[in-house]
Amino acid sequence: MELPRYKYHPDPISTGAIKESRKVCECCEQARGYVYTSTFYTEEEIEFICPWCIADGSAAQKFDGMFSDDYPLQEAGVPEEVISEVCKRTPGYNSWQQEVWQAHCGTACEFHGDAEKKDLVELTGEALERFLSVEMIKPEVWKNILEHYEKGGNPAVYKFKCPECSEVIYTMDFT
């Protein structure tokens, strides 16, 4: 069975948002071979949602929930239909504090998971200056972070890509 495609989270298996499992989805009540592993903001205690119930919006509708916080996208002026797709029909991602879905060129960015150390070593010039400014990190502190950075570690650096201009945007989170 082929997994649904998500415009704003193109490879949820590699990011860890979806994994193989024999668990039964609490929305469609089927064991479809995969379950969602990240946050689901709802009043109910929901443990297992299949990727198909995310993609078609039935899980968000049935449980009146969201997979990502819509506020950052609203603040960025992203159109409501894009916000709805990201928050109600796209797998979210795990973060230390709370995920902040990135926006660029007036739309939501694609989530590509934790940055590789190689990505961060290659981050230079204006892009690095912008990242350090947004994250409020001094260059000497960044050097220390980069020296000890491990993908999936603490701090975490998340990689997003603008679907309009292909600019890569990084954001950081830590305990």
Side-chain angles (χ1 to χ4, degrees), residues 37 80 130 138:
T37 65
E80 191 56 45
R130 189 172 39 254
K138 294 179 181 176

Side-chain angles (χ1 to χ4, degrees), residues 22-171:
R22 296 179 187 260
K23 300 292 184 184
V24 172
C25 173
E26 294 172 56
C27 184
C28 67
E29 299 179 359
Q30 295 180 52
R32 300 177 85 177
Y34 294 90
V35 293
Y36 176 61
T37 65
S38 193
T39 55
F40 185 36
Y41 300 103
T42 181
E43 288 185 16
E44 298 184 47
E45 286 279 327
I46 306 300
E47 284 189 71
F48 304 109
I49 298 291
C50 76
W52 293 269
C53 288
I54 295 172
D56 69 10
S58 59
Q61 183 176 7
K62 181 175 183 174
F63 301 113
D64 191 25
M66 292 191 303
F67 297 98
S68 295
D69 184 5
D70 59 355
Y71 182 76
L73 295 173
Q74 289 174 349
E75 283 295 296
V78 171
E80 191 56 45
E81 62 272 8
V82 174
I83 294 172
S84 181
E85 183 172 347
V86 170
C87 298
K88 295 182 178 185
R89 296 185 307 279
T90 300
Y93 67 95
N94 289 322
S95 64
W96 287 107
Q97 301 298 322
Q98 180 169 339
E99 84 290 333
V100 177
W101 207 281
Q102 298 298 296
H104 196 264
C105 292
T107 192
C109 292
E110 300 168 353
F111 179 67
H112 287 270
D114 287 295
E116 300 286 344
K117 186 167 186 172
K118 175 184 175 280
D119 294 329
L120 302 180
V121 168
E122 293 174 355
L123 186 61
T124 60
E126 193 176 304
L128 176 61
E129 289 177 23
R130 189 172 39 254
F131 170 73
L132 295 179
S133 174
V134 168
E135 297 297 333
M136 297 182 280
I137 302 169
K138 294 179 181 176
E140 58 274 9
V141 173
W142 175 245
K143 287 178 185 175
N144 186 49
I145 289 170
L146 191 55
E147 182 180 332
H148 301 286
Y149 179 79
E150 291 181 28
K151 182 177 176 178
N154 183 21
V157 180
Y158 307 111
K159 182 177 182 177
F160 289 85
K161 184 177 176 185
C162 178
E164 299 294 322
C165 72
S166 297
E167 182 170 332
V168 175
I169 298 164
Y170 296 100
T171 186

